[in-house]
């Protein structure tokens, strides 16, 4: 079964607590379930740099909960997938526990350096190619492949309505009867 909990509509001030509570509940569910009755769980943390920061800011409830899953979750059948466009802003504890990486285009030099440090110096050639990857193109590095693999991720059909706003088109339409 797949369950998606979309937190994009809640105020960013409470995302940290919400992610922490959900993560903790799911971890505790398998932690306290007898081993033969556990169901494997994969928790996907989208836009993770927003609530699993590298630098502590305030209480960081989500960071603590996700770090626990990253460090201890596998033995209880709970694993994490961390998704972020800003790997340099992610918790080093969480990234150090990642066994595999799917790295798409990164143009920010800080993010490139950070990924290079995380995946190792022997992948320097791969890291140099990150700024020139096409949309949908990625490198897979880590335990999931025998050697670094360049791949093309198929675009979904129909495509999600998650594209950036076309500013040029919107501005060219004018502001006729635009009443805020």
């Amino acid at each position: 079964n797949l369950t998606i909990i979309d937190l994009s509509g809640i105020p960013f001030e409470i995302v940290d607590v919400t992610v922490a509570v959900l993560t903790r509940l799911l971890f505790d569910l398998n932690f306290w379930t007898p081993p033969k009755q556990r169901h494997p769980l994969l928790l996907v943390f989208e836009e993770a740099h927003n609530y699993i920061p590298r630098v502590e800011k305030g209480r960081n409830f989500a960071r603590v909960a996700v770090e626990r899953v990253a460090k201890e979750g596998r033995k209880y059948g709970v694993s994490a997938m961390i998704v972020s466009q800003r790997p340099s802003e992610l918790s080093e504890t969480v990234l150090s526990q990642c066994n595999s990486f799917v790295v798409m285009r990164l143009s920010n030099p800080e993010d490139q350096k950070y990924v290079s440090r995380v995946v190792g110096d022997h992948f320097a050639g791969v890291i140099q190619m990150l700024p020139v990857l096409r949309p949908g193109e990625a490198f897979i590095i880590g335990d999931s492949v025998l050697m670094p693999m360049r791949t093309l991720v198929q675009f979904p059909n129909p495509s999600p309505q998650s594209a950036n706003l076309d500013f040029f088109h919107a501005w060219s339409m004018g502001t006729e009867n635009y009443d805020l």
Side-chain angles (χ1 to χ4, degrees):
N1 292 335
L2 173 68
T3 302
I4 298 172
I5 302 173
D6 182 1
L7 302 180
S8 63
I10 66 172
F12 69 89
E13 295 91 351
I14 61 170
V15 169
D16 178 61
V17 173
T18 306
V19 169
V21 168
L22 290 170
T23 301
R24 181 68 189 265
L25 283 172
L26 292 168
F27 178 84
D28 285 352
L29 172 71
N30 267 14
F31 180 86
W32 292 108
T33 299
K36 291 184 180 182
Q37 296 175 349
R38 288 184 185 143
H39 293 283
L41 298 172
L42 171 64
L43 307 179
V44 180
F45 298 96
E46 177 73 43
E47 299 291 342
H49 55 273
N50 289 325
Y51 46 87
I52 310 172
R54 182 177 184 193
V55 178
E56 291 190 32
K57 302 172 189 171
R59 302 253 177 158
N60 295 121
F61 297 115
R63 178 181 165 169
V64 171
V66 175
E67 284 179 350
R68 184 165 187 210
V69 167
K71 291 188 285 189
E72 302 175 34
R74 285 184 291 275
K75 59 186 160 196
Y76 304 110
V78 182
S79 57
M81 178 186 293
I82 309 301
V83 181
S84 176
Q85 296 175 21
R86 296 303 316 268
S88 64
E89 295 180 9
L90 286 168
S91 161
E92 290 190 36
T93 300
V94 171
L95 280 183
S96 71
Q97 298 297 312
C98 292
N99 297 332
S100 297
F101 298 88
V102 177
V103 186
M104 300 180 94
R105 181 175 50 205
L106 287 174
S107 54
N108 183 307
E110 287 301 312
D111 289 324
Q112 293 170 23
K113 280 190 258 179
Y114 192 72
V115 169
S116 178
R117 258 193 5 248
V118 170
V119 300
D121 292 336
H122 48 284
F123 297 118
V126 171
I127 303 304
Q128 289 177 351
M129 295 180 67
L130 292 179
V132 297
L133 293 176
R134 297 173 303 187
E137 205 170 14
F139 279 104
I140 302 174
I141 304 167
D143 293 351
S144 62
V145 291
L146 294 174
M147 56 192 235
M149 184 174 88
R150 190 172 180 180
T151 187
L152 187 60
V153 178
Q154 289 183 344
F155 290 100
N157 186 8
S159 60
Q161 296 180 358
S162 62
N164 295 333
L165 178 65
D166 183 353
F167 285 92
F168 181 76
H169 176 73
W171 288 337
S172 67
M173 299 303 290
T175 58
E176 190 175 316
N177 297 325
Y178 194 70
D179 184 18
L180 291 177

